[in-house]
C-alpha cells in the first residue's frame, strides 16, 4: 500500500508542473452537474467547448469539478466512460481535472427519503439564489441540526467505498487528472468531526489502489488570529485532512491580510499549496489584489466560477440571511464573465493573461 507522499516527492511534482491556475467549473447552461448525465451531455457540450476556449485564451490549465455519486450508482461503467470523455474534451484545451469526490458542505437535516435518485434532465433551479437553490448549505438554520451525507448510513457506506474504488481503479494512471480532491470542506454544515473515519477511509482506498496523482482534502475555516498566534490550529478534522494530504489545499474568501496570515500558518506544513476556492469581491477577496500573491508564491489558484449562468454564483450567499449593511452587494461574488462572454472586469482578465501566458 502506498503511503503519503514525502515532502520531497510533493515538491518534485509541483516544480515539474506549470503553476496551477483555473477555476471551479459548472457549465453555465446547467444549474447542477448534468454534464455528467447521458441525457443532457450532448446538449451541454457545445457551450462547454465555448467556455473551455475562454479558459484557454486566458491561460487556465485546471478545473475543479464535482463528480456525481448518484449517476455512478445507476450507471457504473457508462458513467466512468463519460468521465473519460469529459477528460478528453478538457485535454483538447490543455486543461486538467481536479475531481471532487465527497463533500461536507451539504444541506442540513436527514431527508425523509434516503434512496439514491437517478438524475435526469437539467433539473430545476431557484431564481435569485446563489447556487440556484433556496435550500443552501451556506445558510445555517437555527437549532442543532447538521448536514447529512450517505456515509452516515451504515448500509450505504459500502457503496461510498465502492464508488471511490471504482474511480481510483479506472483513473489511477490518468495524467489528465492533476490531483484528487477527496473531500470538500471536511467538518462543514455543523458536521464537525463526524466525517473523520470516512475521510481516513477514502484516503486509504485511493492509496490501496496506488493512484499516481497526489491526494488532498482542503482546510476551509480558521480560528481568529490564525497565522498570528502560532499556538492556534485548525479543527481536528481539518488537521486530519492536512496530515493526510500530499499537496496542501485550502479555501479562503477573506481579505488580503487574513489570506496572508492563513498562508503563513499553512507554510509550516512544508508542502506545496493551492487555494482551491476563493473570490468574494464583496468581502474584499479580489483577483486584482490576490492573484499576484498566488503567482509570486507559486500557490495554486483555483477561484470559483467562470461564466454567469443558471447557478447564479455571482450572487452573494449572504443574500439569503444575515446580510451586512456595510457591504456592497451590487458587486459580483463569483464568476468572471457575463452571460454574453464579456468580462465582468477587463482588468481581471488582463491580469490572468499576464500571469498565465
Amino acid at each position: 500500500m502506498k503511503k503519503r507522499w514525502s515532502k520531497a516527492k510533493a515538491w518534485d511534482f509541483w516544480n515539474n508542473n506549470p503553476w496551477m491556475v483555473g477555476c471551479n467549473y459548472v457549465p453555465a447552461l446547467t444549474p447542477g452537474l448534468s454534464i455528467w448525465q447521458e441525457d443532457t451531455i450532448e446538449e451541454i457540450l457545445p457551450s462547454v467547448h465555448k467556455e473551455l476556449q475562454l479558459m484557454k485564451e486566458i491561460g487556465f490549465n485546471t478545473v475543479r469539478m464535482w463528480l456525481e455519486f448518484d449517476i455512478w450508482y445507476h450507471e457504473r461503467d457508462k458513467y466512468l466512460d463519460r468521465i473519460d470523455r469529459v477528460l478528453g474534451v478538457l485535454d483538447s484545451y490543455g486543461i486538467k481535472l481536479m475531481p471532487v469526490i465527497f463533500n461536507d458542505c451539504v444541506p442540513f437535516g436527514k431527508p425523509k427519503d434516503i434512496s439514491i435518485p437517478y438524475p435526469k434532465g437539467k433539473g430545476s433551479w431557484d431564481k435569485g439564489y446563489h447556487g440556484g437553490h433556496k435550500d443552501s448549505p451556506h445558510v445555517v438554520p437555527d437549532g442543532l441540526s447538521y448536514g447529512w451525507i450517505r456515509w452516515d448510513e451504515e448500509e450505504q457506506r459500502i457503496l461510498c467505498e465502492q464508488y471511490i474504488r471504482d474511480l481510483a481503479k479506472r483513473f489511477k494512471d490518468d495524467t489528465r487528472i492533476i490531483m484528487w480532491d477527496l473531500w470538500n470542506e471536511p467538518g462543514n454544515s455543523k458536521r464537525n468531526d463526524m466525517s473523520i473515519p470516512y475521510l481516513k477511509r477514502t484516503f486509504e482506498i485511493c492509496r490501496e489502489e496506488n493512484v499516481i496523482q497526489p491526494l488532498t482534502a482542503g482546510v476551509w475555516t480558521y480560528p481568529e488570529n490564525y497565522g498570528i498566534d502560532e499556538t492556534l490550529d485548525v479543527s481536528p478534522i481539518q488537521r486530519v485532512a492536512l496530515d493526510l494530504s500530499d499537496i496542501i489545499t485550502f479555501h479562503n474568501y477573506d481579505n488580503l491580510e487574513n489570506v496572508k496570515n492563513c498562508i503563513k500558518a499553512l507554510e509550516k506544513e512544508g508542502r506545496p499549496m493551492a487555494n482551491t476556492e476563493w473570490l468574494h469581491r464583496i468581502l474584499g477577496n479580489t483577483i486584482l489584489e490576490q492573484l499576484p500573491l498566488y503567482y509570486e508564491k507559486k500557490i495554486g489558484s483555483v477561484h470559483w466560477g467562470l461564466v454567469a449562468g443558471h447557478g447564479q454564483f455571482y450572487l452573494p450567499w449572504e443574500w439569503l440571511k444575515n446580510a451586512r449593511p456595510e457591504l456592497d452587494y451590487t458587486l459580483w461574488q463569483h464568476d468572471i464573465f457575463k452571460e454574453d462572454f464579456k468580462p465582468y472586469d477587463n482588468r481581471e482578465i488582463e491580469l490572468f493573461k499576464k500571469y498565465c501566458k
Side-chain angles (χ1 to χ4, degrees):
M1 182 193 303
K2 278 189 175 181
K3 297 181 179 179
R4 185 193 192 193
W5 283 13
S6 67
K7 293 179 181 179
K9 182 175 180 179
W11 280 111
D12 184 65
F13 167 85
W14 204 247
N15 292 329
N16 283 285
N17 277 283
W19 175 50
M20 178 188 292
V21 59
C23 64
N24 285 265
Y25 176 56
V26 176
L29 281 184
T30 172
L33 301 179
S34 49
I35 187 175
W36 306 115
Q37 294 174 199
E38 184 175 38
D39 66 335
T40 53
I41 186 172
E42 301 300 340
E43 177 186 356
I44 291 168
L45 272 182
S47 67
V48 169
H49 280 283
K50 293 178 182 178
E51 291 165 6
L52 293 177
Q53 182 62 35
L54 280 179
M55 296 187 207
K56 183 178 180 179
E57 290 171 0
I58 296 172
F60 286 2
N61 56 35
T62 303
V63 291
R64 181 174 181 258
M65 298 175 70
W66 267 253
L67 300 187
E68 187 62 32
F69 170 87
D70 293 355
I71 302 175
W72 165 85
Y73 174 76
H74 290 281
E75 296 182 359
R76 305 293 173 101
D77 289 344
K78 289 175 64 178
Y79 177 52
L80 297 178
D81 289 344
R82 204 168 303 125
I83 294 174
D84 185 76
R85 181 182 178 188
V86 172
L87 284 168
V89 172
L90 293 173
D91 187 58
S92 70
Y93 291 89
I95 295 170
K96 294 183 183 290
L97 175 65
M98 180 189 298
V100 183
I101 312 303
F102 297 115
N103 181 26
D104 269 0
C105 186
V106 292
F108 287 79
K110 179 178 177 179
K112 293 180 180 179
D113 182 2
I114 63 168
S115 62
I116 301 169
Y118 195 172
K120 295 286 186 179
K122 289 175 63 176
S124 60
W125 65 94
D126 300 315
K127 292 184 177 180
Y129 291 89
H130 178 104
H133 299 287
K134 293 180 181 179
D135 183 19
S136 170
H138 297 108
V139 179
V140 180
D142 296 329
L144 300 177
S145 62
Y146 53 84
W148 172 86
I149 62 175
R150 297 203 176 277
W151 282 93
D152 293 335
E153 306 303 317
E154 186 173 359
E155 68 276 12
Q156 293 193 11
R157 285 174 202 158
I158 188 65
L159 293 173
C160 295
E161 292 190 2
Q162 189 60 52
Y163 173 52
I164 183 59
R165 195 176 295 280
D166 278 6
L167 290 168
K169 282 181 179 292
R170 177 69 178 265
F171 300 108
K172 64 182 179 181
D173 299 315
D174 198 322
T175 57
R176 298 171 300 179
I177 291 178
I178 187 67
M179 189 186 311
W180 295 91
D181 193 343
L182 294 181
W183 211 286
N184 179 64
E185 300 193 345
N188 204 343
S189 301
K190 291 189 177 181
R191 289 187 59 79
N192 300 319
D193 298 336
M194 292 175 63
S195 296
I196 285 179
Y198 318 139
L199 176 65
K200 289 181 176 179
R201 182 61 180 144
T202 301
F203 273 86
E204 182 180 45
I205 290 171
C206 283
R207 292 196 165 117
E208 287 173 353
E209 297 299 334
N210 291 321
V211 300
I212 66 167
Q213 309 93 339
L215 307 178
T216 193
V219 295
W220 60 279
T221 187
Y222 316 95
E224 188 177 356
N225 292 323
Y226 185 65
I228 299 173
D229 183 343
E230 295 187 359
T231 67
L232 296 175
D233 197 7
V234 292
S235 67
I237 189 170
Q238 295 185 100
R239 171 44 56 188
V240 170
L242 285 175
D243 291 342
L244 289 173
S245 293
D246 301 317
I247 305 294
I248 300 302
T249 57
F250 66 101
H251 298 174
N252 202 311
Y253 291 101
D254 216 330
N255 61 48
L256 182 61
E257 180 181 0
N258 288 338
V259 168
K260 285 181 176 179
N261 289 334
C262 176
I263 290 171
K264 178 182 176 183
L266 293 175
E267 283 176 334
K268 295 178 182 178
E269 304 297 320
R271 292 175 176 270
M273 293 192 295
N275 186 346
T276 55
E277 279 195 29
W278 68 282
L279 184 54
H280 196 320
R281 299 177 182 90
I282 299 163
L283 295 181
N285 183 271
T286 69
I287 290 168
L288 298 180
E289 273 198 340
Q290 300 198 11
L291 189 67
L293 172 67
Y294 298 130
Y295 177 78
E296 291 161 9
K297 286 184 166 288
K298 206 181 179 184
I299 294 172
S301 164
V302 187
H303 71 273
W304 190 280
L306 186 72
V307 176
H310 292 327
Q312 302 165 102
F313 297 111
Y314 52 87
L315 296 176
W317 56 56
E318 291 91 345
W319 197 275
L320 300 176
K321 190 177 181 181
N322 299 326
R324 293 159 54 184
E326 73 274 16
L327 298 180
D328 182 1
Y329 289 97
T330 66
L331 298 173
W332 278 17
Q333 179 168 314
H334 301 326
D335 294 330
I336 58 175
F337 288 100
K338 301 175 183 178
E339 291 181 356
D340 60 4
F341 287 9
K342 293 181 180 178
Y344 171 75
D345 186 333
N346 281 305
R347 296 173 301 168
E348 296 175 348
I349 304 306
E350 291 307 311
L351 195 62
F352 276 120
K353 290 180 177 179
K354 173 184 176 181
Y355 289 131
C356 297
K357 293 295 187 181

